[in-house]
Amino acid sequence: MENLPIRKTPPPLFSVLVFLLHFSSLHFPSLAYDTPDKYFINCGSNANANFNNHVFTADRLFHSKATSSINGGNQSNLNHTARIFEQESYYKFDITESGTYYVRLHFFAFASSSSNLSAAIFDVSAFPNNSNSGFMLLKNFTAKNSSGNSTIHEFFLGIDHGSFRIYFTPRGLSFAFVNAIEVFLAPANFSPKNYPSSSPLVLHTIYRVNVGGKELGPDKDGLWRNWDPDDLYLLKSNPVGEVGPLQTLKYSNYEHDGFVAAANYYIAPDLVYETAKVMNNDSRNPSTSFNITWSFNVRRNAKHLVRAHFCDLVGQAADIVFNLYSNGNFIKNVNNSVFVNPIPYYYDFVVESKESELINISIGPNVEKTTTNNSFLNGLEMLEIMEELAPIPNMKEHKSINVPVVVGSVLGGLSLICILVVGFLFGLKYRKAKHVETSEWSPMPAVGGGSTHSRVTEGTITGSHMTDLNLGLKISFAQLQQATNNFDTKFLIGEGGFGNVYRGTLSDGRIVAVKRGKRHEHSSGQGLPEFETEIMVLSRIRHRHLVSLIGYCDEGSEMILVYEFMEKGTLREHLYESNLPRLSWKQRLEICIGAARGLHYLHKGAAGGIIHRDVKSTNILLDAKCVAKVADFGLSRSGPLDETHVSTNVKGTFGYLDPEYIMTQQLTEKSDVYSFGVVLLEVLCARPALARNLPNDQINLAEWGMNCKKNGLLEQIVDSSLKGQIDPSSLRKFIETAEKCLQDDANDRPTMDDVLWDLDYALQLQQTAKHREPHEDSTISASSEFVLPNVQHFPSHSSTANPDDMTFSGVDESGTATNEVFSQLKIGDAR
């Protein structure tokens, strides 16, 4: 990734503080790890259960119409109750801190008169970070277990702040079930090293082995893990010995050549590091060299992360140098002198099973670098890298079991200092945001803590208080309950940062979208500014390409917005992350033109001018005829846009945010232009603005797209479903338009009027489909004069006369738009 160009003075401390709230959620290694207390769920029970000296909370408060519960006679026993899923359902968790998470699923097919749990066949998948992109955890799973013990499947997932779902999907006519669920944050330094950057962090524990020691149960492990004795896997073709502890372990926190010192006993228990297998325990025959090998059955053609644990218990640290092998292949030279006795340490590496169903791990002396023929190993962990994507759920039919979160908002002095230091260093080295997507981030309050929102908006719409809202648009809560069948989840059509969206039918027969604010935000005042802003903006403007507000409800603690219903949902759903038919190139151009018209009207046609501030593909909606309409004005700002820049808290969505706005907090209409440029690339490439599962140079769509443009590799970024559809001249014009929008300096970006002109031209080039020479239409600037017969580039101010645009006067004007720019262009005359 290229560094973010900085043309202005270095950001002041206030600028750095902008990042603090957002990055305060990161789990810094320097902070102590506290034993987690969430989430531990006793599924299908009316009572809490104690397991491994930990309380699992009953899920009786999280009922779902899609589920039922059964018990085997003891409600407080973790393995004697289960939640049954007759159709695809999910548990939902609110993740407040980004990091690596343990996810454990407990299954025990106990005897029941109502259900034969051992007959259940189902899939389990995970959808982190409010995304429709999920991963298969268990496929065609059945919980049959002849041993009479419960089956526990453990996973590690990298999860960002946001919503996290675990889906249970019955196979065929079967059903699914689960007895208990654990979701909790792992220690910060647990995240694996030497992990492939192109793979999302989704790991399934296959083996965990205490080498040289006995079996360890959850009561012997700080994170309640099981460790098997290694004799189950040891190939005993050569004699080996065991050693025990020599002195108290010394945990540390440093790395060397890929090896990592264990920071604490959460990495592995003391009992793992205090025992080991050695090649030559008593040195009776030091001239003999051989390898010690452990063999593991694995799934064919799967990648595995292997963590090898070491701690010198032999007492020859200065002399021992040995090799680590996998399937006979050299992996790493282990020079024990770096981690002097008794410091425990580990090494991570990735092994692929390919066609074999075995992975062998070996250690053996390095005869070239040492005269001491010895080697040792203390522990092994083998985790499969889960790469299979999960099918996209049918959100309209899901019934969720919502698990609430209790957030402690106490920020200690030490934590605050750590956050300030990290935030300041980050501000000095800030690169283009590419790892986190959020709907809003604000600077730290100048004094004290408390809520980040007040009951008064930050001036997004001047004078926007609840008492000033258009009372003629008020709809009673009772009417909305009736319209949505009391907000029945079967009418749920979407979820966002503000709240859930339901399809509803008003008493006059109109079909509407009802967006109900989240209940937990009402008492704190969060969401109120966005609620007021949305009403103030949409109650005074009307445009064919802006979503219309039908009404609102603010009774009691309710914050509900009612919009015209957009039959075809979001633009993003038609580009990727769904099974919907893909849009043609002509449709995509028309949608982009429509959205550009809406934004141009906001900037120049609306009274005083409005900056949207959150332009993205999920905020561009499509009606039944695929007409694009810009939506979600909760972050909008109003005021004169052609005088001075507006200083404002940075808000928006990472991946779409204008880098100049991030660094300076100076908001202009060109910030919307940058975001729209990212949308244009989304339309062309059919991929997210941020894709963390891709190689580093492809994570940020704007950077990747512009690098491809610079290197003449456009064919690499075009959506494969469009191949053969796009006229080359139309493609060149579209790419040039996106490139101009994505300039780092706002002064170099076009206005939305210029963008609209260029997109109209790209559409006309596509429609004429006349052969052109490669040099034609490839260097036309948005502001250039170019020859077209009887065609005139109308100035920006003339666009206010567009029949699509009008300020609200009590009449909803929604007539068909007329393309005045190209109304006189004849196909035969096009150049």
Side-chain angles (χ1 to χ4, degrees), residues 423-566:
F424 180 75
L425 293 177
F426 183 88
L428 295 179
K429 298 181 179 181
Y430 180 72
R431 299 167 68 90
K432 283 185 178 180
K434 61 181 180 181
H435 293 299
V436 184
E437 179 169 337
T438 180
S439 60
E440 175 179 345
W441 39 294
S442 307
M444 182 174 288
V447 181
S451 172
T452 58
H453 293 270
S454 66
R455 292 292 295 179
V456 180
T457 68
E458 71 157 316
T460 54
I461 297 296
T462 305
S464 60
H465 298 83
M466 292 298 292
T467 55
D468 299 328
L469 299 184
N470 190 330
L471 299 180
L473 295 177
K474 292 194 70 171
I475 302 176
S476 71
F477 183 66
Q479 286 177 287
L480 297 179
Q481 282 182 305
Q482 181 180 2
T484 59
N485 194 24
N486 199 21
F487 300 96
D488 193 327
T489 53
K490 73 180 182 181
F491 295 120
L492 184 67
I493 58 175
E495 299 177 60
F498 180 81
N500 292 340
V501 183
Y502 302 83
R503 176 180 173 135
T505 305
L506 298 179
S507 57
D508 60 6
R510 278 184 297 172
I511 298 176
V512 294
V514 181
K515 183 162 70 172
R516 188 184 190 190
K518 292 179 181 178
R519 305 283 296 178
H520 72 269
E521 292 188 344
H522 299 166
S523 59
S524 67
Q526 295 187 18
L528 179 65
E530 289 81 1
F531 177 66
E532 295 180 358
T533 299
E534 188 97 358
I535 297 171
M536 293 302 298
V537 170
L538 290 179
S539 64
R540 64 190 180 99
I541 59 175
R542 282 290 187 271
H543 190 279
R544 172 176 165 78
H545 294 290
L546 301 178
V547 169
S548 297
L549 180 71
I550 304 299
Y552 69 92
C553 174
D554 62 347
E555 293 180 16
S557 61
E558 293 290 345
M559 294 187 295
I560 304 176
L561 297 165
V562 183
Y563 308 93
E564 62 175 315
F565 182 71
M566 302 297 288

Side-chain angles (χ1 to χ4, degrees), residues 304-486:
H304 292 79
L305 174 78
V306 178
R307 173 167 290 183
H309 296 269
F310 304 97
C311 185
D312 174 33
L313 304 177
V314 182
Q316 299 170 320
D319 299 323
I320 297 179
V321 179
F322 59 94
N323 296 333
L324 178 64
Y325 304 92
S326 172
N327 290 339
N329 299 313
F330 174 78
I331 296 297
K332 192 70 176 178
N333 178 264
V334 184
N335 188 339
N336 192 61
S337 62
V338 176
F339 298 91
V340 296
N341 181 42
I343 296 177
Y345 59 100
Y346 61 90
Y347 183 76
D348 293 338
F349 59 97
V350 174
V351 176
E352 189 168 359
S353 58
K354 297 185 179 179
E355 291 300 319
S356 172
E357 294 184 351
L358 289 175
I359 290 181
N360 294 331
I361 304 297
S362 305
I363 54 172
N366 187 317
V367 295
E368 298 178 354
K369 296 187 178 182
T370 181
T371 58
T372 304
N373 290 337
N374 212 335
S375 54
F376 61 86
L377 183 67
N378 302 72
L380 266 178
E381 296 179 78
M382 187 172 295
L383 304 96
E384 182 178 345
I385 299 175
M386 309 301 289
E387 296 182 306
E388 182 176 355
L389 297 178
I392 297 174
N394 184 348
M395 298 300 295
K396 293 183 180 179
E397 297 180 1
H398 289 159
K399 316 296 182 185
S400 64
I401 304 173
N402 293 304
V403 182
V405 57
V406 179
V407 180
S409 59
V410 179
L411 186 63
L414 178 61
S415 300
L416 178 58
I417 292 172
C418 292
I419 292 171
L420 286 170
V421 172
V422 173
F424 180 75
L425 293 177
F426 183 88
L428 295 179
K429 298 181 179 181
Y430 180 72
R431 299 167 68 90
K432 283 185 178 180
K434 61 181 180 181
H435 293 299
V436 184
E437 179 169 337
T438 180
S439 60
E440 175 179 345
W441 39 294
S442 307
M444 182 174 288
V447 181
S451 172
T452 58
H453 293 270
S454 66
R455 292 292 295 179
V456 180
T457 68
E458 71 157 316
T460 54
I461 297 296
T462 305
S464 60
H465 298 83
M466 292 298 292
T467 55
D468 299 328
L469 299 184
N470 190 330
L471 299 180
L473 295 177
K474 292 194 70 171
I475 302 176
S476 71
F477 183 66
Q479 286 177 287
L480 297 179
Q481 282 182 305
Q482 181 180 2
T484 59
N485 194 24
N486 199 21

Side-chain angles (χ1 to χ4, degrees), residues 133-244:
S133 178
F135 298 90
M136 189 68 72
L137 301 183
L138 299 172
K139 189 172 184 178
N140 284 331
F141 175 71
T142 180
K144 295 178 181 178
N145 192 332
S146 58
S147 68
N149 297 321
S150 65
T151 299
I152 300 176
H153 283 274
E154 179 185 88
F155 303 88
F156 293 90
L157 285 86
I159 307 176
D160 289 340
H161 176 280
S163 174
F164 169 60
R165 296 184 179 91
I166 301 176
Y167 282 85
F168 296 86
T169 307
R171 282 273 176 171
L173 299 177
S174 187
F175 61 95
F177 79 94
V178 64
N179 300 84
I181 299 176
E182 303 175 52
V183 178
F184 61 90
L185 186 66
N189 48 10
F190 177 85
S191 298
K193 310 296 179 182
N194 306 318
Y195 190 77
S197 59
S198 60
S199 299
L201 183 59
V202 185
L203 300 171
H204 182 194
T205 302
I206 307 299
Y207 297 101
R208 185 174 282 123
V209 180
N210 181 20
V211 178
K214 61 183 180 179
E215 179 181 357
L216 301 178
D219 59 324
K220 302 295 185 182
D221 187 290
L223 295 175
W224 313 287
R225 296 167 291 192
N226 286 291
W227 296 78
D228 295 330
D230 71 306
D231 289 340
L232 298 172
Y233 313 103
L234 184 65
L235 294 181
K236 299 181 179 179
S237 58
N238 292 299
V240 295
E242 295 181 359
V243 292

Side-chain angles (χ1 to χ4, degrees), residues 590-640:
E590 290 172 339
I591 288 168
C592 291
I593 290 170
R597 286 190 182 280
L599 290 172
H600 172 55
Y601 170 69
L602 286 178
H603 291 174
K604 300 300 183 183
I610 295 172
I611 303 174
H612 187 280
R613 214 164 35 155
D614 198 19
V615 177
K616 54 185 177 181
S617 58
T618 51
N619 284 340
I620 297 174
L621 306 183
L622 307 178
D623 68 10
K625 296 182 180 180
C626 277
V627 173
K629 303 197 179 192
V630 179
D632 200 341
F633 298 86
L635 300 183
S636 298
R637 287 293 302 259
S638 71

